[in-house]
Amino acid sequence: MCSPSFSSFSVTGADLTTERLVLRPWTPGELAAVADGPRLADWAEDFPAEGDRVIADFLTEHPEGLTAYGHRLVAERGTGQVIGSIGLFWPPSDGALEVGYGIVASRRGCGYASEATRALVEFALTAPGVDAVHATVELSNPASVRVLEKAGLRRLREDAAATARFRAVAADFTQR
């Protein structure tokens, strides 16, 4: 049913499109619905997950996260269903942005998180003043570690808190 792909992304309006996904901005109605509203027709049966609710609350309080280089919903191109969210935490700090992501349980194992992460990281590296993207993941979550590795981020270090730090720079993506 789902086969991982890492083809390049395209930009149409505010949307980033990969072979199998559309990463699109949140609308005010979607933020409200995730926070406490009715289920929307284009949501996967297990969307929103708890992480999506946390992000919706964050974006309601911090609308600056809704910029072109901010947070997005992840939708399957084939079905149009929203299956998760992904985002960059703006503004950059020392030229770097942090990326975070979540895909609902019913769509895990399809490579969607890696495909979305790779596209958003590549896009982030086009932002003015951004020369790196990083992520921190708990080592007790090997699936998330693998997402970052498959997306092209390089492991920098592990720490005593059992987390690993990953980083991507433009050169990581132009050498391939």
Side-chain angles (χ1 to χ4, degrees):
M1 171 176 108
C2 47
S3 58
S5 171
F6 289 114
S7 60
S8 62
F9 68 93
S10 61
V11 179
T12 305
D15 296 347
L16 299 179
T17 304
T18 69
E19 183 178 330
R20 301 177 302 153
L21 303 171
V22 176
L23 313 180
R24 61 177 178 77
W26 290 73
T27 67
E30 289 165 332
L31 286 172
V34 166
D36 60 8
R39 289 194 47 77
L40 300 181
D42 66 344
W43 289 356
E45 64 277 359
D46 49 350
F47 183 86
E50 182 57 33
D52 302 308
R53 288 183 186 90
V54 169
I55 290 299
D57 289 344
F58 172 81
L59 293 172
T60 299
E61 293 178 25
H62 303 278
E64 64 274 14
L66 295 170
T67 67
Y69 294 101
H71 290 269
R72 297 165 177 271
L73 291 172
V74 178
E76 292 175 315
R77 285 182 64 185
T79 66
Q81 288 192 321
V82 175
I83 61 168
S85 61
I86 189 167
L88 299 163
F89 291 89
W90 195 264
S93 175
D94 296 324
L97 292 171
E98 182 176 2
V99 65
Y101 51 85
I103 299 295
V104 295
S106 66
R107 300 309 200 281
R108 292 183 189 148
C110 294
Y112 288 150
S114 295
E115 185 174 333
T117 300
R118 182 173 181 88
L120 194 60
V121 166
E122 287 184 48
F123 180 67
L125 292 169
T126 70
V130 174
D131 55 24
V133 177
H134 64 87
T136 302
V137 64
E138 294 179 9
L139 294 173
S140 63
N141 186 350
S144 198
V145 169
R146 187 71 185 125
V147 162
L148 296 171
E149 291 170 343
K150 287 173 56 180
L153 282 81
R154 297 176 194 256
R155 188 183 305 217
L156 292 179
R157 66 182 177 276
E158 296 176 12
D159 64 25
T163 61
R165 181 87 161 172
F166 286 78
R167 186 174 178 95
V169 295
D172 293 340
F173 293 90
T174 58
Q175 296 173 358
R176 295 170 192 228

